[in-house]
Amino acid sequence: MVRAAMRLSVVLVLGLAVLASAATSYHGYKVVSVWPKTHHESWTVQQLVNGWELDQWSSSRGLGSPVDLLLPPKLTKRFLAALSQQHIHVTVKINDVQQLIEQQGPGHKRRSTLPGTFDHTVYHNLGEIYSILDGAVAAFPHLVSLYTAGTTYEGRDIRVAKVSSGEPKPVIWIDCGIHAREWISSATCQYILDQLTSGYGSDGQVTDLLDTYDFHIMPCANPDGYNYTWNEDRLWRKNRSPHTLCKGVDCNRNFDSDFGGAGTSDIPCSDLYHGPSAFSERESAAVRDAVLALDDVAMFYSLHSYAQLWMTPYGYTTDLPANYDEQVRVAEVSVRALEAVHGTQYQYGNIADIIYMAAGGSIDWVYDTAKVPYTYGVELRDQGEYGFLLPEDQILPTGEETWAGIVAGINAI
Ligand code: 0X9
Ligand code: ZN
């Protein structure tokens, strides 16, 4: 009897261990676009999203524009039936999310270049990104240096590459990957670092830029979360700090800009959880400390995905910042330059109007408190065809157009 109970508990423990170690599978999950035409239909969709706690990949930008949702297989039938009963239009964007995940990430493809060198044909895990940073220092020791802006809950360094041609100059800050699943963001930071290092002394435009500015590039602002998207759950958004019931804070809700305000959640299990207090998280504190340690930050860019938006403050209020017209003028210059490269269409404007209210975001805090006059949040490709699962053959064109937008913006200030 006792033996049998012991055997049972061993089996149970082993079973739980297997369950705990298995990566999340999105087999049979779909991404759908829902098109509410009236306020009532919008409300209905929101009720379904809240009731079933669906992962909302994008929010509608007004009536007639779509809301993208991740739909678990067990809810598909009921969800589609509810919509059809209300005559709400829906289209399937991704038929099987897991299939798409498996086309990218661990082991699917070999890199085309040596480890420790740039390769914009594949996504890289955190170890690879950090060895690329080390490789950049080794190859360009007079141009690149690295520093650690902070250490995560799980003990990983949050590294920054400083690119400088010599004596201190005003800084252009670019951070990437504060949301773990937005892989194209980190890939774009790597592309930008590659352009800066390979172009100095050979490309006139890059040489001029580095003779005028220093660049501080944080390619992975959320290393624990990013690592988790590689090994456990490709669609994880937050960091990995533990809280009651659930793990993770949305680091882009954790800055001290109307902390806890609109578009945030005080529920630890929510994807929009703002955390116990402003700057409670190592990742947001690292950005804060790094920016405050700099004498003169001319521009601050935070790269996200997806939606193709070039955004200015504020997210916590629909009020406009004092220099809104000037920030928007420069955003428009950037978007025109970006569009000229591959024809990708972007919209620009303040966060609260162009996407949604979101308090506690980095660009608002950097504008208000660090007094950086030009702060931009950029949502890179695409517009939901692949969403967060942007194929690797779009890394290079995304890098090219985004860099063109940033260069044009810098030259316009
Ligand atoms: O919700 C967010 O934090 C951003 N959208 S995302 O899909 N990438 O999560 C929008 C907030 C705007 N603020 C900044 N981008 N800084
Ligand atoms: Zn994001």
Side-chain angles (χ1 to χ4, degrees), residues 179 182 237 252-253 304-305 311 351 355-356 363 377 379:
H179 287 143
E182 299 165 10
R237 164 182 170 93
N252 205 36
R253 300 290 182 281
H304 288 248
S305 73
M311 298 177 294
I351 296 170
I355 180 165
Y356 42 65
I363 76 163
E379 300 284 353

Side-chain angles (χ1 to χ4, degrees), residues 11-201:
V11 169
L12 273 176
V13 167
L14 283 178
L16 284 175
V18 168
L19 271 180
S21 68
T24 305
S25 170
Y26 288 95
H27 181 69
Y29 280 63
K30 296 181 192 307
V31 175
V32 296
S33 284
V34 180
W35 305 74
K37 292 182 306 297
T38 63
H39 288 291
H40 180 72
E41 290 184 1
S42 282
W43 180 85
T44 306
V45 172
Q46 213 52 55
Q47 293 301 102
L48 295 175
V49 169
N50 296 345
W52 278 319
E53 294 181 337
L54 298 177
D55 182 359
Q56 190 170 330
W57 276 27
S58 80
S59 57
S60 173
R61 288 200 257 120
L63 295 175
S65 87
V67 183
D68 297 346
L69 303 169
L70 177 67
L71 212 51
K74 65 174 193 290
L75 292 177
T76 307
K77 253 196 178 151
R78 277 183 284 165
F79 182 82
L80 294 179
L83 288 187
S84 112
Q85 199 193 17
Q86 304 279 325
H87 306 290
I88 301 174
H89 184 56
V90 55
T91 53
V92 175
K93 291 209 127 159
I94 301 175
N95 197 41
D96 184 37
V97 169
Q98 186 63 26
Q99 217 173 23
L100 209 50
I101 288 175
E102 283 164 14
Q103 287 166 22
Q104 309 162 359
H108 72 289
K109 199 196 283 176
R110 293 194 64 80
R111 50 176 300 135
S112 62
T113 54
L114 288 171
T117 61
F118 291 105
D119 180 355
H120 310 298
T121 67
V122 290
Y123 290 114
H124 298 293
N125 66 27
L126 187 72
E128 290 166 348
I129 294 175
Y130 281 0
S131 80
I132 288 169
L133 296 187
D134 292 331
V137 177
F140 305 96
H142 302 296
L143 209 52
V144 187
S145 57
L146 301 177
Y147 64 94
T148 298
T151 308
T152 64
Y153 178 80
E154 292 178 352
R156 296 184 179 86
D157 285 346
I158 304 167
R159 299 174 90 186
V160 180
K162 174 183 174 187
V163 189
S164 173
S165 63
E167 65 290 343
K169 302 174 192 69
V171 169
I172 309 292
W173 171 279
I174 307 171
D175 65 66
C176 293
I178 198 164
H179 287 143
R181 63 190 173 187
E182 299 165 10
W183 284 9
I184 188 60
S185 168
S186 291
T188 302
C189 258
Q190 294 163 58
Y191 179 86
I192 291 168
L193 185 60
D194 190 6
Q195 292 307 297
L196 287 170
T197 50
S198 64
Y200 188 66

Side-chain angles (χ1 to χ4, degrees), residues 299 312-313 321-333 348 367 373-376 409-413:
M299 302 182 93
T312 67
N323 73 344
Y324 175 72
D325 290 346
E326 171 60 6
Q327 289 211 63
V328 161
R329 177 188 71 78
V330 173
E332 186 184 0
V333 170
Y348 55 90
Y367 175 78
Y374 298 91
T375 67
Y376 296 100
I410 298 169
N411 288 330
I413 67 169

